[in-house]
Amino acid sequence: WLWPRTWQFSIRGFYFNVFPFFKYFLALPCGIFAVVLMGICIRKYFYKLSGVNVLFQTPGSPELETRGVHKFVRHPLYASTLLLIWSMLLWFPSLANLIACIMITVYMRIVVFFEVRKLARIFGSQYGVYVIDTPMLFPHIRIRF
């Protein structure tokens, strides 16, 4: 019976060749680092946003987070997501994954734009100082001799 097949459409995928060096020495460490960073961020955000923290502290006005990972980047969860998807592209190099990475990157950039506006409205000049001192997605690499 051919009924299920009539509702499917697939095309042959186009795959890129990637040197094993990039897979094992770039994509794998970056992907592992991204997953660990995402775990840290999700744990922290779950505690704050789920309402569990009400059991342990008194609610108050929102506080700008500038400690921990936020000391190095303003949006660590977005940064780790971007790092993970681009490292996955190196691990599974296909045209479909490249298109997905580009679309997710554009989407993240738009989301960050609106989030920056929201945070500036909530925290005012305190957030302005934080923006000047801290990079948006990826930390500055300073090499000093």
Side-chain angles (χ1 to χ4, degrees):
W1 186 348
L2 298 177
W3 184 86
R5 233 177 231 217
T6 58
W7 298 101
Q8 286 184 348
F9 176 74
S10 64
I11 57 174
R12 181 176 277 208
F14 180 75
Y15 293 92
F16 304 109
N17 288 327
V18 174
F19 293 115
F21 171 81
F22 291 114
K23 272 188 170 184
Y24 295 105
F25 294 106
L26 186 64
L28 190 61
C30 287
I32 291 170
F33 176 75
V35 168
V36 168
L37 185 58
M38 287 174 83
I40 292 168
C41 293
I42 289 171
R43 182 177 169 265
K44 181 187 236 181
Y45 296 147
F46 172 77
Y47 179 74
K48 287 190 175 191
L49 299 176
S50 68
V52 173
N53 63 346
V54 175
L55 301 173
F56 303 106
Q57 64 184 10
T58 57
S61 62
E63 181 182 325
L64 181 62
E65 185 67 45
T66 59
R67 296 180 310 266
V69 180
H70 292 280
K71 183 178 179 180
F72 302 104
V73 291
R74 293 188 310 241
H75 307 282
L77 188 57
Y78 296 147
S80 58
T81 302
L82 290 174
L83 186 61
L84 180 64
I85 64 167
W86 284 97
S87 63
M88 286 179 64
L89 175 66
L90 287 177
W91 198 260
F92 305 106
S94 70
L95 182 61
N97 288 346
L98 176 64
I99 293 169
C101 286
I102 291 170
M103 292 179 72
I104 291 170
T105 302
V106 169
Y107 172 76
M108 289 282 188
R109 186 61 184 107
I110 293 168
V111 167
V112 166
F113 172 77
F114 287 109
E115 186 167 334
V116 165
R117 291 178 65 189
K118 179 186 87 170
L119 293 171
R121 190 173 56 248
I122 292 171
F123 296 110
S125 62
Q126 182 185 9
Y127 187 72
V129 171
Y130 180 59
V131 166
I132 292 170
D133 293 339
T134 311
M136 184 183 302
L137 291 172
F138 296 102
H140 298 299
I141 298 173
R142 295 184 180 113
I143 300 173
R144 298 181 188 201
F145 295 101

